[in-house]
Amino acid sequence: MKNDKWKIKCSLAFCLLLTAHCSLLTVPAQVTPANNWPQFRGNLQLTGVSQSAVPGTLRQLWTYEAGDSIESSAAIAGGTVFVGSQKGELVALNLENGSVNWRFSTGSPIGESSPAYGAGVVYIGDLGGWLNALNASDGRKLWAFKTGSEIKSSPVVVGDRVLIGSYDEHLYCLSARNGSVLWKFKTGGPVHATPGISGGLAFIAGCDEIFRAIRISDGKEMFRVSSGSYTGASPALRGAFAFYGTFGNEVLMISLSSRRVAWRYQHPERRFPFYSSAAVTADRVVVGGRDKMVHGLNAAGKAVWTFATGARVESSPAIVGERVFVGSNDGKFYVLNLNSGAKIWEFNAGAPLSASPAIANGRIVIGSQDGRLYCFG
């Protein structure tokens, strides 16, 4: 941009929007390595973006029958798929052929909590309020921690610490070694969201309508921003911004530097909640809505495209290159063009797909509510 243009006095709103747009384009991408998808949304920033080389033409490689609904999204590490089900089992499968390595019974159904892998240990929360830490190679229980209510948040491993939210209204920070409580933070409602991690802070969007930044070292709240509505989505972080949808029928971009809402997106006609967690690239924010659509937004929070499915989209999208992968409660798994939203491919699973895809080694794994886990590649 020419120097004289920079001399133009901008309004506060315009400057904020310009800063957001430029920052999104220039910050390094927060993506998941090609060979692993170790936690919910793939990485600590929860961006849902993978570097994996997914084949241009997909085919179904194998399925696994879990025996009950799969709402938990899989984790993939070291060629092993970890996935939980309402049967109350965490299963470790061979990514290559779907064969079972081991099963662990949690004693309570596993809902939306997704497993997380770190340093040879896999962690999973259940609806009984337990967080279990298991040896990833054989499924042997190392320790367990009981919260005061059900767990739908997914665990996150940060060095020697594990963070987990509970419906008892706390975010917990536990020792990865033995599960002892290092600190716990009380919110004003159930902690449904999985925390996003950046710069030594854990970010959670809350059922109490508050977006919080909590210091991981000691559990101190560093700042908060009012969302204006409660949210079940987890915040995706890119650069100095966080993105998440709310039950107020909006998608928000929060500036982490100015600590305020930078923009709000709302569909002009269809006013429905956003329960799906967003996937974020340099110039796209992609999120599913209960309006039965997938929304593709630009860095300024404007809709570039929408794609209509036949039912709610509660699955959180994943992105590889120029493709979006997402399930719908209409029973179909969709592949969309990231730039235009055009449908590239679909697979009819015949049962709602509210879980989110996990991507590693050129393969995509997603579970359905009839208990089938699918692998495509």
Side-chain angles (χ1 to χ4, degrees):
M1 188 176 287
K2 295 180 180 180
N3 290 336
D4 58 342
K5 290 186 178 180
W6 285 110
K7 296 177 182 178
I8 299 173
K9 185 176 181 180
C10 300
S11 67
L12 177 61
F14 180 79
C15 286
L16 183 62
L17 190 59
L18 182 62
T19 301
H21 182 73
C22 292
S23 296
L24 271 174
L25 293 176
T26 58
V27 296
Q30 301 298 321
V31 297
T32 303
N35 295 332
N36 293 300
W37 186 277
Q39 64 161 77
F40 181 62
R41 310 305 292 132
N43 54 62
L44 291 173
Q45 291 76 40
L46 310 183
T47 60
V49 180
S50 173
Q51 291 181 321
S52 189
V54 176
T57 301
L58 291 179
R59 60 189 179 93
Q60 182 181 333
L61 300 178
W62 53 261
T63 61
Y64 169 76
E65 298 281 350
D68 209 336
S69 179
I70 300 174
E71 298 175 36
S72 170
S73 302
I76 305 173
T80 300
V81 179
F82 304 96
V83 68
S85 73
Q86 290 275 352
K87 188 179 179 180
E89 279 188 343
L90 180 70
V91 184
L93 307 168
N94 185 306
L95 177 61
E96 189 68 24
N97 57 26
S99 61
V100 177
N101 294 339
W102 52 259
R103 296 184 178 91
F104 175 81
S105 177
T106 57
S108 295
I110 297 171
E112 296 168 44
S113 182
S114 300
Y117 172 90
V121 181
V122 61
Y123 305 86
I124 186 66
D126 65 36
L127 298 182
W130 287 95
L131 177 69
N132 283 284
L134 313 173
N135 185 304
S137 62
D138 59 14
R140 175 173 52 89
K141 183 163 73 172
L142 303 176
W143 55 259
F145 174 77
K146 181 72 162 63
T147 71
S149 189
E150 62 188 7
I151 294 175
K152 293 187 177 181
S153 169
S154 300
V156 172
V157 183
V158 186
D160 61 355
R161 301 180 174 214
V162 181
L163 300 178
I164 188 71
S166 171
Y167 268 50
D168 68 6
E169 303 187 351
H170 287 86
L171 177 68
Y172 291 89
C173 180
L174 309 176
S175 164
R177 182 176 61 84
N178 58 20
S180 60
V181 178
L182 301 178
W183 54 258
K184 61 180 181 178
F185 181 88
K186 177 73 165 61
T187 72
V191 181
H192 182 95
T194 298
I197 307 298
S198 181
L201 301 177
F203 298 92
I204 54 172
C207 295
D208 58 0
E209 305 186 5
I210 302 296
F211 174 80
R212 287 184 167 88
I214 301 170
R215 194 161 59 194
I216 296 172
S217 61
D218 58 6
K220 180 181 178 182
E221 181 180 278
M222 303 307 293
F223 67 86
R224 61 170 64 187
V225 178
S226 174
S227 301
S229 183
Y230 74 93
T231 177
S234 302
L237 308 173
R238 185 176 173 83
F241 301 93
F243 306 82
Y244 59 93
T246 76
F247 275 76
N249 312 328
E250 296 179 318
V251 178
L252 308 184
M253 182 174 86
I254 305 292
S255 169
L256 305 182
S257 55
S258 65
R259 303 176 181 183
R260 59 184 295 174
V261 177
W263 53 248
R264 299 176 183 267
Y265 164 78
Q266 187 174 73
H267 191 275
E269 298 173 357
R270 298 179 62 79
R271 306 296 172 86
F272 289 85
F274 290 93
Y275 187 70
S276 161
S277 296
V280 182
T281 68
D283 55 3
R284 283 291 181 273
V285 178
V286 182
V287 62
R290 286 190 169 176
D291 58 2
K292 306 181 183 180
M293 296 196 296
V294 183
H295 300 249
L297 314 179
N298 64 19
K302 305 299 182 182
V304 177
W305 54 261
T306 57
F307 175 81
T309 77
R312 292 178 172 183
V313 182
E314 299 188 337
S315 173
S316 300
I319 296 174
V320 177
E322 300 300 315
R323 286 177 290 172
V324 176
F325 303 87
V326 64
S328 170
N329 281 15
D330 66 4
K332 294 181 180 180
F333 177 61
Y334 294 97
V335 181
L336 309 176
N337 181 283
L338 175 62
N339 297 313
S340 68
K343 183 174 69 176
I344 299 172
W345 185 78
E346 71 175 46
F347 174 83
N348 190 354
L353 298 168
S354 58
S356 306
I359 302 174
N361 283 336
R363 301 192 169 201
I364 304 166
V365 177
I366 188 170
S368 68
Q369 289 188 18
D370 66 359
R372 287 187 176 93
L373 183 73
Y374 294 90
C375 180
F376 302 99

